[in-house]
């Protein structure tokens, strides 16, 4: 996921062959080529890997159409700043969890199957037993799926405030069951999900320090994916919190 393109080399200035014996000219040209190659290696090293904890958890890539991504702070500034609108919100305005592909597994079960560290056994009507998960909000290992909530990265009420109040019921259902991006829904401990409730990063952040940059990337990517907005306090907090996340990159695809 390199964002760096090597700089084009300037051609070394040499005399025309007529000024020097051919053999000597060839020797000089070879030496200059070798020198230029050494300069590229020292001036343009390959990009280093992103520091642990500053990008997505395993299995949660987004993906811009060209695959390039944006630095986190730049991505935050691309989200429009608009005053929030809570009027008329009801949780039932977002139908979930649905079984979109009629395989007996609801969206909740699909997320649990995808994010399992150790795969659970799948029984009749997609009942799950066994398995293990890592809740990245608090770095907790969970071995009972009933102790996990599926968190909407941007909570339903926050989505409503940020633009979903103008959506059709069908689009709100698509948002609430978004399996098209691994950032949109995440399996976490019930206590952290309920602690978060409908709050944005100006009001709540995951308790694990290792989760900070990942969470900011996921939040930003989800807002961009669904063309949602932010308010002034949210933008200020996102930019402040993002300062230690200089290596974090946001990748996303617009929702259909």
């Amino acid at each position: 996921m390199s964002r760096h393109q090597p700089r084009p080399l300037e051609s070394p200035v040499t005399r025309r062959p007529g000024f020097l014996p051919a053999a000597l000219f060839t020797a000089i040209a070879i030496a200059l080529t070798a020198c230029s190659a050494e300069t590229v290696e020292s001036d343009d090293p390959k990009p280093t890997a992103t520091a642990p904890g500053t990008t997505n958890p395993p299995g949660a890539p987004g993906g811009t159409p060209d695959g390039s991504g944006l630095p986190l702070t730049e991505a935050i500034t691309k989200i429009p700043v608009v005053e929030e609108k809570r009027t008329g919100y009801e949780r039932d305005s977002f139908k979930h969890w649905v079984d979109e592909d009629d395989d007996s597994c609801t969206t909740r079960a699909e997320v649990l199957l995808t994010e399992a560290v150790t795969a659970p056994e799948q029984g009749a009507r997609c009942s799950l037993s066994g398995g293990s998960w890592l809740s990245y909000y608090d770095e907790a290992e969970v071995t009972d799926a009933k102790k996990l909530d599926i968190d909407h990265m941007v909570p339903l009420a926050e989505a409503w405030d940020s633009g979903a109040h103008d959506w059709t019921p069908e689009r709100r259902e698509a948002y609430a069951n978004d399996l098209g991006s691994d950032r949109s829904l995440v399996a976490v401990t019930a206590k952290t999900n309920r602690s978060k409730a409908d709050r944005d990063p100006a009001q709540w952040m995951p308790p694990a320090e290792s989760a900070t940059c990942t969470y900011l990337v996921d939040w930003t990517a989800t807002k961009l994916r669904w063309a949602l907005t932010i308010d002034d306090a949210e933008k200020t907090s996102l930019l402040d919190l993002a300062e230690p996340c200089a290596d974090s990159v946001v990748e996303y695809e617009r929702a259909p």
Side-chain angles (χ1 to χ4, degrees):
M1 191 167 58
S2 171
R3 304 191 304 278
H4 305 283
Q5 298 297 325
R7 294 192 300 272
L9 293 174
E10 295 182 1
S11 299
V13 179
T14 59
R15 295 180 183 271
R16 289 183 291 110
F19 287 95
L20 290 172
L24 180 57
F25 174 80
T26 302
I28 292 173
I30 292 171
L32 286 172
T33 301
C35 181
S36 297
E38 291 173 1
T39 302
V40 173
E41 185 176 356
S42 60
D43 288 350
D44 298 288
K46 293 181 180 179
T48 56
T50 302
T54 60
T55 54
N56 308 323
T64 52
D66 62 1
S68 60
L70 295 170
L72 175 57
T73 54
E74 182 181 341
I76 292 169
T77 63
K78 287 188 173 294
I79 306 174
V81 178
V82 178
E83 185 177 352
E84 292 187 346
K85 179 181 177 181
R86 178 63 62 96
T87 305
Y89 169 72
E90 294 181 3
R91 187 171 176 82
D92 290 344
S93 298
F94 295 82
K95 184 180 178 181
H96 65 288
W97 307 109
V98 301
D99 178 10
E100 186 175 2
D101 56 4
D102 295 321
D103 66 349
S104 298
C105 294
T106 65
T107 302
R108 171 185 164 82
E110 299 281 11
V111 175
L112 290 171
L113 288 167
T114 298
E115 296 195 1
V117 176
T118 303
E121 293 185 9
Q122 185 175 334
R125 301 187 63 80
C126 204
S127 60
L128 304 180
S129 59
S132 65
W133 293 262
L134 177 64
S135 168
Y136 91 83
Y137 287 5
D138 51 0
E139 296 183 333
E141 183 180 356
V142 180
T143 56
D144 182 354
K146 294 178 181 178
K147 294 182 179 180
L148 290 164
D149 280 357
I150 305 304
D151 181 36
H152 290 93
M153 175 53 56
V154 175
L156 301 180
E158 170 69 19
W160 178 276
D161 297 349
S162 307
H165 54 267
D166 281 337
W167 293 353
T168 64
E170 291 77 16
R171 187 156 183 80
R172 287 195 286 267
E173 179 179 331
Y175 176 83
N177 299 275
D178 183 15
L179 295 173
S181 170
D182 291 339
R183 299 183 186 281
S184 300
L185 301 168
V186 57
V188 296
T189 54
K191 66 179 181 179
T192 55
N193 184 46
R194 293 164 197 183
S195 171
K196 171 182 174 178
D198 63 357
R199 294 184 286 180
D200 67 30
Q203 304 156 324
W204 187 90
M205 284 292 292
E209 185 177 351
S210 63
T212 296
C213 295
T214 299
Y215 188 79
L216 295 174
V217 167
D218 289 356
W219 181 278
T220 302
T222 302
K223 287 241 165 171
L224 288 169
R225 172 171 169 78
W226 287 93
L228 296 171
T229 63
I230 55 178
D231 60 21
D232 286 318
E234 182 183 347
K235 180 177 182 178
T236 298
S237 293
L238 285 169
L239 290 173
D240 288 346
L241 290 164
E243 287 184 4
C245 307
D247 293 333
S248 296
V249 175
V250 176
E251 299 181 344
Y252 67 97
E253 290 180 339
R254 289 286 191 184

